[in-house]
């Protein structure tokens, strides 16, 4: 009976995946017009332009919108694998393939002892909440690498390390996946893979690390936590403006540098907390690696100067891996992230014009979405700490002296 029920559940899961992903594919191929700005222009215009440059053997040195580690070139060049399709269509199909790969990994992992099919359900339900943006960015490909790394960490630590190291060269954040991994082999494998691949790119393609300068110069993006300061300030005489800058819509003007510095301070504080947690944690369960990775990426995403909609794909993927483990303590934070994902598609692309205008609807959407992320980050961090860091031992009680031991005054 259990086997039959499991097969039926899997069949419904695949049907739901097929229906929702068909809808997403129809949206990015513009068979169905999704409300709001066109989210596919990044692929058809920006990625396509980078593709032409990368094929010459160089990175886009003169394009400040290129803000990605060197292995991102592989994602941009990947449509060459499907030469019978146009660039944008091939990219969307490969994004669909990466999405399917994540589902296969989660379904397989959910069948092991001590695991749960909830992880696959989170992925199937969470991705469409973000709308067509998921297939119009290469983040779903990075997420597939990260999911594979986390699921390999228990039994194949060296493979997990290699995948994390390679993922870090795709989009940096997978470097956080090994936070709770205690096997030295995983760290050595990550370092060797990352350093080796980085050296190869630097030797073969000029400008492999130009992205570091471009990334550092970014300002406060309109969807970030710090941007709420300026959304409100615009209604009280703030003289700045909203412009397309470094590939995203950002605030420019007085005090922006200070708010950006504040965001960097919060990110630094998050890093300091993670280091402290790692030094204090002593109780490690099989799910601790995935829980810690989810917390780390959630903290860095929430405190970032930029919270682009595609960043939520990372969180949905890591949330799904967490819930592959029956004993994960991240259920409520995962629910908050999924809710934030739905609010994200409302603020971009559906009502992005309201966000850019800083009107009441736009501000309300950002307060809700960013508030959910802050709540999820704080709750997840607290649960990780409580689950892994032992409470300090209470001070020993002093034994009261017996009546016969009471000294007699002279």
């Amino acid at each position: 009976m259990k086997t039959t029920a499991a097969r039926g559940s899997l069949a419904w899961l695949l049907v739901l995946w097929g229906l929702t992903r068909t809808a997403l594919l129809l949206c990015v191929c513009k068979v169905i017009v999704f409300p709001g700005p066109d989210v596919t222009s990044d692929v058809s215009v920006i990625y396509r332009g980078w593709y032409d440059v990368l094929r010459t053997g160089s990175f886009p040195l003169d394009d400040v919108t290129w803000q990605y580690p060197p292995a991102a070139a592989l994602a941009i060049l990947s449509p060459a694998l499907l030469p019978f399709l146009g660039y944008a269509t091939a990219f969307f199909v490969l994004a669909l393939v990466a999405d399917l790969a994540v589902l296969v990994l989660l379904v397989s992992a959910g069948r092991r002892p001590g695991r749960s099919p909830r992880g696959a359900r989170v992925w199937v339900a969470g991705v469409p909440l973000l709308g067509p943006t998921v297939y119009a960015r290469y983040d779903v490909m990075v997420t597939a690498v990260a999911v594979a790394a986390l699921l390999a960490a228990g039994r194949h630590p060296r493979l997990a390390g290699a995948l994390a190291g390679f993922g870090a060269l795709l989009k940096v954040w997978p470097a956080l996946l090994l936070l709770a991994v205690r096997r030295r082999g995983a760290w050595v494998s990550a370092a060797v893979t990352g350093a080796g691949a980085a050296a190869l790119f630097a030797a073969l393609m000029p400008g492999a690390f130009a992205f570091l300068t471009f990334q550092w110069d970014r300002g406060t993006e309109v969807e970030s936590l710090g941007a709420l300061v300026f959304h409100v300030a615009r209604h009280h005489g703030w003289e700045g403006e909203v412009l397309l800058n470094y590939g995203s819509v950002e605030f420019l003007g007085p005090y922006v540098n200070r708010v950006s510095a504040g965001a960097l301070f919060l990110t630094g504080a998050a890093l300091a907390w993670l280091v402290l947690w790692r030094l204090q944690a002593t109780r490690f369960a099989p799910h601790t690696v995935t829980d810690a990775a989810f917390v780390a990426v959630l903290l860095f995403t929430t405190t970032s100067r930029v919270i682009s909609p595609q960043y939520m794909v990372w969180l949905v993927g890591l949330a799904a891996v967490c819930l592959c483990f029956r004993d994960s303590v991240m259920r409520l934070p995962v629910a908050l992230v999924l809710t934030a994902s739905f609010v994200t598609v409302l603020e971009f692309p559906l009502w992005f014009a309201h966000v850019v205008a800083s009107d009441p609807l736009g501000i309300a959407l950002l307060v809700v979405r960013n508030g959910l992320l802050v709540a999820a980050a704080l709750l997840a961090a607290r649960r990780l700490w409580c689950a892994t860091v032992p409470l300090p031992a209470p001070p020993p009680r002093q034994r009261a002296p017996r009546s016969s031991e009471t000294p007699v005054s002279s």
Side-chain angles (χ1 to χ4, degrees):
M1 289 295 292
K2 288 185 178 180
T3 303
T4 303
R7 288 177 180 174
S9 176
L10 177 60
W12 279 110
L13 194 69
L14 293 175
V15 168
L16 181 59
W17 183 89
L19 291 174
T20 54
R21 275 40 176 196
T22 299
L24 291 179
L25 206 56
L26 291 175
C27 286
V28 292
C29 290
K30 299 183 180 178
V31 177
I32 298 175
V33 178
F34 199 84
D38 180 14
V39 301
T40 66
S41 60
D42 276 34
V43 176
S44 59
V45 178
I46 299 176
Y47 286 13
R48 184 66 176 82
W50 291 341
Y51 175 82
D52 291 335
V53 175
L54 290 168
R55 290 183 66 186
T56 67
S58 174
F59 286 93
L61 299 178
D62 299 325
D63 188 348
V64 296
T65 62
W66 176 262
Q67 300 171 12
Y68 307 109
L74 301 178
I76 304 303
L77 291 169
S78 63
L81 297 172
L82 304 175
F84 49 87
L85 296 175
Y87 180 87
T89 304
F91 185 91
F92 301 145
V93 170
L94 292 173
L96 175 72
V97 171
D99 181 355
L100 179 60
V102 174
L103 177 63
V104 171
L105 288 169
L106 293 170
V107 168
S108 177
R111 293 178 171 179
R112 298 174 192 166
R115 305 291 182 87
S116 168
R118 286 194 303 265
R121 295 170 190 165
V122 166
W123 180 252
V124 170
V127 167
L129 291 178
L130 294 167
T133 305
V134 174
Y135 285 179
R137 306 290 188 273
Y138 82 91
D139 295 80
V140 67
M141 302 175 184
V142 185
T143 302
V145 174
V147 168
L150 282 177
L151 292 176
R155 296 195 284 184
H156 307 286
R158 292 183 182 276
L159 175 60
L163 289 170
F166 175 69
L169 287 181
L170 281 170
K171 210 161 190 182
V172 180
W173 66 266
L176 298 169
L177 301 179
L178 300 181
L179 180 66
V181 174
R182 294 182 292 172
R183 298 189 185 182
R184 183 178 300 177
W187 288 90
V188 171
S189 179
V192 170
T193 301
L200 187 63
F201 276 109
L204 297 179
M205 298 179 70
F209 296 97
F211 78 97
L212 293 172
T213 300
F214 299 155
Q215 187 65 244
W216 179 259
D217 291 338
R218 294 190 75 165
T220 297
E221 191 254 351
V222 295
E223 296 164 278
S224 65
L225 183 63
L228 285 169
V229 173
F230 300 112
H231 282 294
V232 175
R234 292 177 81 183
H235 294 272
H236 298 278
W238 181 66
E239 298 178 352
E241 54 188 345
V242 177
L243 293 175
L244 183 64
N245 188 52
Y246 287 92
S248 64
V249 181
E250 299 180 354
F251 282 111
L252 299 176
Y255 308 109
V256 171
N257 289 339
R258 295 185 183 182
V259 171
S260 296
L264 290 174
F265 172 80
L266 289 177
T267 300
L271 177 61
W273 183 89
L274 289 168
V275 171
L276 177 63
W277 167 80
R278 189 62 181 83
L279 294 173
Q280 295 293 319
T282 58
R283 299 196 297 257
F284 286 82
H287 58 83
T288 302
V289 170
T290 57
D291 287 354
F294 176 67
V295 171
V297 176
L298 181 55
L299 285 171
F300 274 77
T301 301
T302 303
T303 59
S304 175
R305 293 173 295 170
V306 180
I307 307 181
S308 296
Q310 61 266 27
Y311 292 7
M312 299 299 295
V313 183
W314 318 341
L315 298 178
V316 172
L318 298 185
V321 180
C322 285
L323 293 201
C324 274
F325 293 85
R326 295 186 184 277
D327 297 329
S328 173
V329 296
M330 295 296 153
R331 294 186 189 181
L332 182 53
V334 165
L336 293 175
V337 165
L338 292 179
T339 306
S341 298
F342 175 68
V343 181
T344 296
V345 80
L346 297 181
E347 62 93 358
F348 183 89
L350 193 59
W351 289 322
F352 190 59
H354 295 276
V355 173
V356 173
S358 301
D359 66 18
L361 176 58
I363 294 175
L365 288 171
L366 289 182
V367 167
V368 173
R369 196 281 299 272
N370 293 344
L372 286 167
L373 288 179
V374 170
L378 295 177
L379 179 61
R382 181 179 182 276
R383 289 193 169 192
L384 178 66
W385 185 279
C386 292
T388 56
V389 177
L391 294 173
R397 292 183 179 181
Q398 293 185 348
R399 184 171 61 88
R402 297 177 182 176
S403 57
S404 58
E405 297 174 347
T406 304
V408 178
S409 57
S410 56

